[in-house]
Amino acid sequence: MRGLDDSTDVFIRTGQKAQKHVRLAWEGFINFAARDNVLEVALGLIIANAFTKVVTSFVTDIILPIVSLLPFLNRNMDQKFAVLSKGPTYDQQNGYNTLYQAREDGALVLAYGLFAETVLNFLGVSLTLYAVGNMYMMIFPDKIIKPTVRCPYCRQYISKQALRCRHCSTWQDGREDEPRSDKSSREELAGAEPSRAGQIS
């Protein structure tokens, strides 16, 4: 039957095209996943995540308990909060013991202690990473910490050692601010006119 043969050919061609697309997609994924830079990025993310957990634990479990011994704190930093709106079961004499208890009661609280702990964790991770980066540059020649300055013309951040701005292409050695004499301008224009005439001809 001719109609059955035609439909069979269509199914076969469709299956072959689908198989080809799947094979190409799989090969592209393998090429992408097996590249060195992708593996380096993945390894770097794993190390950075583990490093961040270590520093966060150091700040939360070592530094903050010592800070909490100060007389005006009397409790862990993350349990310092102010009640802005009381809940239905608020104890007028003792108040809320923990931040979790206040939130479970539906109270509106200002958790400034938890915010301070988050800021301290951020500062601890940032300062530790900066110290590790400086120690790395003392051992290896790679400059992973590059000081930047603002371009005086476009106000974009560029490397401190850059000769030209990568945003507006201006020179950073001060030659952009030097006054140009009329004579030099006329000489440049005269030199540009013959070349322009040669391009037109």
Side-chain angles (χ1 to χ4, degrees), residues 48-66 117 120-122 124-125 128:
N49 188 22
F51 182 78
T52 303
K53 287 182 179 179
V54 170
V55 176
T56 301
S57 176
F58 175 74
V59 173
T60 303
D61 302 329
I62 304 297
I63 301 299
L64 290 180
I66 297 175
E117 180 178 345
L120 288 176
N121 282 332
F122 170 75
V125 172
T128 306

Side-chain angles (χ1 to χ4, degrees), residues 72-159:
F72 58 87
L73 290 178
N74 298 326
R75 61 172 64 185
N76 290 336
M77 181 71 73
D78 60 343
Q79 294 301 324
K80 298 293 291 182
F81 60 93
V83 179
L84 302 180
S85 178
K86 302 173 184 177
T89 61
Y90 179 75
D91 188 354
Q92 297 292 339
Q93 184 176 0
N94 299 320
Y96 296 113
N97 292 325
T98 62
L99 179 61
Y100 176 79
Q101 181 184 7
R103 287 178 171 172
E104 281 294 311
D105 193 34
L108 181 63
V109 295
L110 183 67
Y112 60 89
L114 196 60
F115 175 75
E117 180 178 345
T118 304
V119 171
L120 288 176
N121 282 332
F122 170 75
L123 292 177
V125 172
S126 302
L127 292 175
T128 306
L129 287 175
Y130 181 73
V132 170
N134 279 315
M135 288 190 296
Y136 177 85
M137 289 192 301
M138 291 174 60
I139 301 173
F140 300 100
D142 298 337
K143 297 294 183 182
I144 59 175
I145 300 178
K146 300 176 182 178
T148 58
V149 294
R150 281 184 179 270
C151 172
Y153 304 100
C154 66
R155 307 304 297 168
Q156 296 291 330
Y157 283 102
I158 58 174
S159 174

